Amino acid sequence: MNLSINDKGRFRILHVTDIQERADFSPLTRAAMEYLLDTQKPDLVMLGGDNCFGPDMRTREDVSVFLEKLAAPMEERGIKWAHIFGNHDHDVCCVTPYELQAMYETFPHCVSKHSQGIHGITNYYLDVTDENNHILFRIWCLDTNGSLADSALNERFGPGGLQENMILPKMPGGNNRFDMLYFDQLAWYDAESRKLELQEKRKVPGILFCHVAPEEFTLAMENPEQCGLAGSAVERLAPAAMNSGLFSLLVQRGDVHVVACGHTHMNSFSAHYCGIQMCFSACTGYTCYGRQDIRGGRIFDFDRGNGSFTTDMVVTTDVIPME
């Protein structure tokens, strides 16, 4: 399916992250998703990872029932949607990650893609075009993988694996027992970014979605005035155990204008660092832990007129309170 701006020269993305539902999908979460779709009328919904709570998926039937309920709000309205995986999506043990991805891609309005030959599954991009099929901006998606216990490097490190060697008593950002972006994923983005620049003879602006925030997001929390932090930042971010260098690469390439993440549930903010807007979205799901004053979804609006993005968090608990 093509993604293209509307007749007003705009394109709206709804970022819903940390839904963290099970086969017995909460009706409150369903109502919140429907409220966001009906009031915000997005052109694309991006599911930002931890879409399910993997440890509670016991059978393939559980996964199938969950996905039907997850996709229903978008499918019933004919709204295009895409997704990335978070650590809990990688926790699903009754199907492989590639089988899970294939199940997502069966839905008619799902425009997600997948990668092969590099770490992770949901590494891909989507281009948004104008009426003449010229690329206006690119949506980049990166898979921040699962837990270090599942790392492909574990065998090299022997007993205790990579986690025992990497985790130190004092780590920035809190609980860092999560996997990382790998060099082959960064190399993929770098190669595709350069290819696009050669093709278009310019740097095409982009927005990047990944589940676990780069460590540089903590700089905004610790330097709110200098980074122009707006919103709420009260919970440590639990970034990956090792800084992969994603942010440095983005700064050098200069095409990604916005990085959007989730993962921990009690923050909702936007800030700037080194020319990149860092957006953290609070959880959308009602089953998982979170703060009632910020639970909801984040809107990203792209305007062809100025070639830039604006963003705002839409809270759902004002209209769909917790029971």
Side-chain angles (χ1 to χ4, degrees), residues 51-76:
N51 309 316
C52 71
F53 187 68
D56 282 356
M57 295 293 176
R58 306 298 184 187
T59 66
R60 189 181 186 92
E61 178 64 17
D62 285 344
V63 178
S64 180
V65 170
F66 157 76
L67 283 175
E68 289 288 343
K69 294 178 180 179
L70 175 70
M74 288 79 73
E75 291 294 322
E76 291 170 2

Side-chain angles (χ1 to χ4, degrees), residues 170-188:
K170 296 181 180 180
M171 300 287 285
N175 178 8
N176 300 76
R177 298 181 184 276
F178 299 100
D179 212 339
M180 55 189 169
L181 286 168
Y182 288 80
F183 180 77
D184 54 7
Q185 295 174 274
L186 303 187
W188 169 82

Side-chain angles (χ1 to χ4, degrees), residues 251-291:
V251 170
Q252 293 173 64
R253 285 299 303 138
D255 52 0
V256 169
H257 295 185
V258 180
V259 177
C261 304
H263 184 46
T264 53
H265 303 178
M266 300 179 72
N267 296 318
S268 175
F269 66 81
S270 175
H272 290 84
Y273 179 58
C274 292
I276 295 176
Q277 185 173 15
M278 301 181 290
C279 294
F280 201 98
S281 299
C283 64
T284 304
Y286 277 60
T287 301
C288 58
Y289 82 92
R291 284 174 49 195

Side-chain angles (χ1 to χ4, degrees), residues 281-302:
S281 299
C283 64
T284 304
Y286 277 60
T287 301
C288 58
Y289 82 92
R291 284 174 49 195
Q292 308 322 314
D293 58 330
I294 61 174
R295 198 182 301 263
R298 181 174 290 277
I299 289 294
F300 292 97
D301 281 318
F302 179 85

Side-chain angles (χ1 to χ4, degrees), residues 154-283:
N154 278 343
E155 291 184 10
R156 183 188 304 175
F157 287 90
L162 181 62
Q163 183 172 115
E164 184 174 299
N165 285 265
M166 187 180 294
I167 301 299
L168 300 173
K170 296 181 180 180
M171 300 287 285
N175 178 8
N176 300 76
R177 298 181 184 276
F178 299 100
D179 212 339
M180 55 189 169
L181 286 168
Y182 288 80
F183 180 77
D184 54 7
Q185 295 174 274
L186 303 187
W188 169 82
Y189 155 73
D190 184 65
E192 293 297 335
S193 172
R194 293 176 185 276
K195 186 188 302 182
L196 181 63
E197 183 177 5
L198 287 174
Q199 171 188 311
E200 298 295 313
K201 298 180 174 58
R202 62 187 176 96
K203 288 187 183 293
V204 175
I207 179 171
L208 186 148
F209 291 95
C210 58
H211 182 65
V212 178
E215 194 173 303
E216 286 77 7
F217 273 55
T218 62
L219 295 176
M221 297 179 68
E222 294 171 359
N223 302 274
E225 183 177 348
Q226 293 85 347
C227 295
L229 188 146
S232 178
V234 299
E235 183 182 14
R236 300 182 77 181
L237 294 184
M242 183 174 286
N243 190 333
S244 66
L246 170 65
F247 210 89
S248 174
L249 176 57
L250 296 179
V251 170
Q252 293 173 64
R253 285 299 303 138
D255 52 0
V256 169
H257 295 185
V258 180
V259 177
C261 304
H263 184 46
T264 53
H265 303 178
M266 300 179 72
N267 296 318
S268 175
F269 66 81
S270 175
H272 290 84
Y273 179 58
C274 292
I276 295 176
Q277 185 173 15
M278 301 181 290
C279 294
F280 201 98
S281 299
C283 64

Side-chain angles (χ1 to χ4, degrees), residues 62-139:
D62 285 344
V63 178
S64 180
V65 170
F66 157 76
L67 283 175
E68 289 288 343
K69 294 178 180 179
L70 175 70
M74 288 79 73
E75 291 294 322
E76 291 170 2
R77 290 162 175 79
I79 298 174
K80 297 171 185 175
W81 60 282
H83 76 286
I84 53 175
F85 283 162
N87 50 291
H88 284 312
D89 302 299
H90 283 282
D91 286 343
V92 176
C93 61
C94 54
V95 297
T96 69
Y98 277 109
E99 288 174 328
L100 179 60
Q101 179 68 17
M103 294 170 76
Y104 270 93
E105 292 182 18
T106 60
F107 290 94
H109 292 89
C110 178
V111 296
S112 300
K113 301 178 184 178
H114 62 273
S115 53
Q116 292 182 321
I118 60 176
H119 284 87
I121 310 296
T122 52
N123 307 294
Y124 63 96
Y125 60 80
L126 301 168
D127 290 329
V128 178
T129 62
D130 64 14
E131 60 275 9
N132 297 313
N133 208 35
H134 296 144
I135 299 174
L136 295 175
F137 73 95
R138 174 166 284 185
I139 300 168

